[in-house]
Amino acid sequence: MFHPFKSAARAAASAAIAIAAAALPSAAWAAGSSSGSGGSALTVNSVCEVKGSTMDLGTYLTSQTWSNVGSELGIWISGLNLRPGARGLEYLNYGSVTCSSGTNYTLTIVGTSTNAPQAIKIVVNNKEMTMYQAIKKFDGAVLADSDPSLTNAGRILKGRSLTGTGTSLPQVLLGSVILVPNADGTGAQPSDKLTTTGVFSDTLTYSLSF
């Protein structure tokens, strides 16, 4: 659209520039210059991955008791020392953590027990047997005991985390589960027979922060 006022303004501006230029003495004009700076950046983040494991706790007969299971896997009864199982203390592969070299991280492995929050629960005959997650060896190094009454078991993860530093290679977690019957007599007890056939399991949730 034609705007007579805008066109007049442009014309006046051009005339003023021409008059001003004509009033200056003859001289050479220097070209102007300007400089600035920019940049570029490449960001590389740490990478961490945790791999869980489905762990086989063994096969038993309906005529056997939880005491038999404890003799195989390990059992702790309140007021007594840990009684390691026939399998030892490194019979379970809990999985692995792989993080970029130098990356610090924290790992938790949580079961669904209600008797001992964050522990493992196995329910047979509608009775829960609580099991503690015990990590004996991590990335080839033997871990110090976290509980005085569970001598040689390593670090008990019930309600605890595990910290580490990445090496860019898988860092394997080896350990055991420890049966812990309720001291008040509720839940499954060592003398209870397994009775019922089937596969009984719990879900473990692995959480990695870095």
Side-chain angles (χ1 to χ4, degrees), residues 15-26 29:
I17 292 171
I19 293 170
L24 292 176
S26 176
W29 286 87

Side-chain angles (χ1 to χ4, degrees), residues 40-190:
S40 60
L42 176 69
T43 301
V44 180
N45 289 323
S46 297
V47 174
C48 276
E49 179 185 34
V50 60
K51 290 185 177 180
S53 175
T54 299
M55 297 173 288
D56 183 3
L57 302 182
T59 301
Y60 306 90
L61 302 175
T62 56
S63 58
Q64 291 183 296
T65 65
W66 278 112
S67 182
N68 296 130
V69 179
S71 294
E72 186 74 11
L73 304 180
I75 189 169
W76 178 74
I77 298 174
S78 181
L80 302 176
N81 291 326
L82 168 66
R83 190 173 72 201
R87 293 193 188 184
L89 296 168
E90 300 176 25
Y91 58 84
L92 290 181
N93 185 331
Y94 274 84
S96 65
V97 177
T98 305
C99 284
S100 301
S101 182
T103 300
N104 297 321
Y105 61 83
T106 300
L107 173 69
T108 58
I109 303 175
V110 176
T112 66
S113 173
T114 54
N115 291 337
Q118 299 189 13
I120 296 169
K121 77 172 181 182
I122 300 293
V123 178
V124 180
N125 297 327
N126 296 317
K127 291 184 178 181
E128 175 183 330
M129 176 57 76
T130 301
M131 300 182 181
Y132 288 174
Q133 311 93 299
I135 305 300
K136 178 65 175 177
K137 188 177 287 185
F138 177 50
D139 195 26
V142 175
L143 299 183
D145 293 338
S146 59
D147 294 67
S149 60
L150 298 173
T151 307
N152 295 323
R155 185 162 183 80
I156 306 301
L157 294 189
K158 177 196 73 68
R160 294 190 180 95
S161 59
L162 183 68
T163 59
T165 302
T167 63
S168 295
L169 298 173
Q171 296 173 293
V172 178
L173 299 98
L174 299 177
S176 64
V177 295
I178 301 168
L179 276 66
V180 185
N182 278 0
D184 61 8
T186 61
Q189 295 299 305

